[in-house]
Amino acid sequence: MKLVYDVVPMGAVRMTGRGKWVKDNAQRYLAYKEEICWQTRQQMKNKDPITGPIAVNVQFRMPIPKSWSKKKKSEAEGQYHTKRPDTDNLIKGLFDSLNNLVWKDDNQVCKILAKKIYSSKPGIEIEIKQLEGER
């Protein structure tokens, strides 16, 4: 199964009980997760969540800074993104959003291949494969 998201990838944010209602970055993160959920529902078309072990291949297409020159922007297209947010935080934010929609819980994910690259069209592409009999 392949899912594509038209959203600027965002890493998970630490939130306290009160902080999620007060802090701007927490509000942006919650809105980001809601958008991922909405786009997932559109693409899943009422399919049941996957059960059992899962392998995931995910590509985060990060925006190229607007301040860069045209030459630097064109050279950056498709190159690895080595700045913040960290890849593990991007994965956490995405996977938490997919719980009970694509899979029952993200603890089912046994294999992950993730990369983040610069792109003039930011977004996320994720391929999900149910694993059977692998050890």
Side-chain angles (χ1 to χ4, degrees), residues 5-7 9 60-64 77 118-125:
Y5 299 95
D6 183 24
V7 7
F60 296 99
R61 296 188 317 265
M62 307 302 289
I64 299 171
E77 187 76 38
Y118 283 110
S119 177
S120 56
K121 295 179 182 173
I124 303 169
E125 291 181 25

Side-chain angles (χ1 to χ4, degrees), residues 97-131:
S97 302
L98 300 179
N99 284 339
N100 293 317
L101 294 173
V102 174
W103 46 62
K104 291 285 186 187
D105 192 86
D106 55 358
N107 64 8
Q108 294 171 244
V109 178
C110 300
K111 288 172 110 175
I112 301 172
L113 177 60
K115 71 176 178 179
K116 56 181 184 159
I117 60 170
Y118 283 110
S119 177
S120 56
K121 295 179 182 173
I124 303 169
E125 291 181 25
I126 182 170
E127 288 184 57
I128 300 141
K129 179 182 170 190
Q130 191 164 8
L131 298 173

Side-chain angles (χ1 to χ4, degrees), residues 12-87:
V13 175
R14 286 198 174 106
M15 289 185 277
T16 61
R18 183 176 165 275
K20 79 165 77 171
W21 310 110
V22 180
K23 297 187 177 180
D24 289 341
N25 63 342
Q27 288 295 305
R28 275 195 323 274
Y29 177 63
L30 293 172
Y32 166 78
K33 285 177 59 170
E34 269 304 308
E35 181 63 22
I36 295 284
C37 289
W38 184 83
Q39 289 188 33
T40 301
R41 284 187 200 99
Q42 299 299 310
Q43 295 179 64
M44 290 289 291
K45 298 188 182 3
N46 297 321
K47 291 180 187 169
D48 290 331
I50 299 170
T51 58
I54 298 170
V56 174
N57 186 348
V58 62
Q59 178 177 331
F60 296 99
R61 296 188 317 265
M62 307 302 289
I64 299 171
K66 290 180 167 71
S67 61
W68 287 6
S69 68
K70 285 185 181 180
K71 181 181 178 190
K72 192 171 180 181
K73 285 179 184 178
S74 67
E75 289 172 351
E77 187 76 38
Q79 296 297 311
Y80 289 114
H81 180 278
T82 57
K83 309 288 182 203
R84 290 183 181 232
D86 297 346
T87 307

